[in-house]
């Protein structure tokens, strides 16, 4: 199974007020990759910062899943997020009141 754990630190860069995303990519019990990177733009809330971190992590997980599928290995992908607000946004059908995310991305 491919699993991804993500987290973000909202507006942690004091000079630019940008958030930092971090995470890890695992294949079964093996840690394959970790990352920590500044997000591309200033986020308006910690939920938004967590959403971008989760999207970045899911992108890496899907990439590994695709490589494994090319090798004939079919796996599940799980993305772990510690923000209940971000999980709520991901779970709903529409973007709701977070229209600025839709416009920005």
């Amino acid at each position: 199974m491919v699993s991804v754990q993500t987290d973000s630190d909202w507006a942690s860069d004091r000079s630019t007020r940008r958030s930092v995303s971090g995470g890890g990519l695992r294949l079964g019990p093996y840690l394959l990759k970790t990352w920590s990177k500044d997000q591309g733009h200033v986020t308006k809330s910690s939920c938004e910062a967590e959403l971008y971190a989760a999207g970045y992590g899911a992108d890496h997980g899907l990439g590994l899943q695709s490589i494994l599928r090319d090798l004939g290995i079919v796996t599940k992908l799980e993305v772990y997020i510690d923000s209940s607000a971000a999980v709520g946004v991901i779970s709903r059908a529409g973007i709701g009141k977070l229209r600025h995310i839709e416009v920005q991305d």
Side-chain angles (χ1 to χ4, degrees):
M1 174 182 359
V2 176
S3 64
V4 180
Q5 292 105 1
T6 63
D7 198 10
S8 72
D9 191 6
W10 181 45
S12 60
D13 187 334
R14 291 181 184 256
S15 61
T16 64
R17 303 317 286 166
R18 290 188 176 166
S19 302
V20 176
S21 295
L25 176 66
R26 292 182 178 273
L27 178 58
Y30 305 105
L31 181 64
L32 300 180
K33 179 179 181 172
T34 61
W35 63 87
S36 176
K37 68 180 265 340
D38 290 335
Q39 292 183 353
H41 44 272
V42 178
T43 56
K44 296 182 181 350
S45 67
S46 60
C47 174
E48 185 180 351
E50 291 281 352
L51 281 172
Y52 289 131
Y56 188 81
D59 185 43
H60 279 70
L62 288 170
L64 178 58
Q65 193 179 36
S66 177
I67 290 169
L68 292 171
R69 193 176 312 114
D70 289 345
L71 297 172
I73 303 168
V74 178
T75 62
K76 287 177 39 178
L77 171 63
E78 291 185 354
V79 180
Y80 296 96
I81 309 167
D82 66 348
S83 168
S84 58
V87 170
V89 170
I90 291 169
S91 299
R92 70 172 89 146
I95 199 74
K97 293 185 179 191
L98 298 174
R99 224 172 312 157
H100 63 281
I101 294 174
E102 183 179 23
V103 170
Q104 193 165 349
D105 290 325

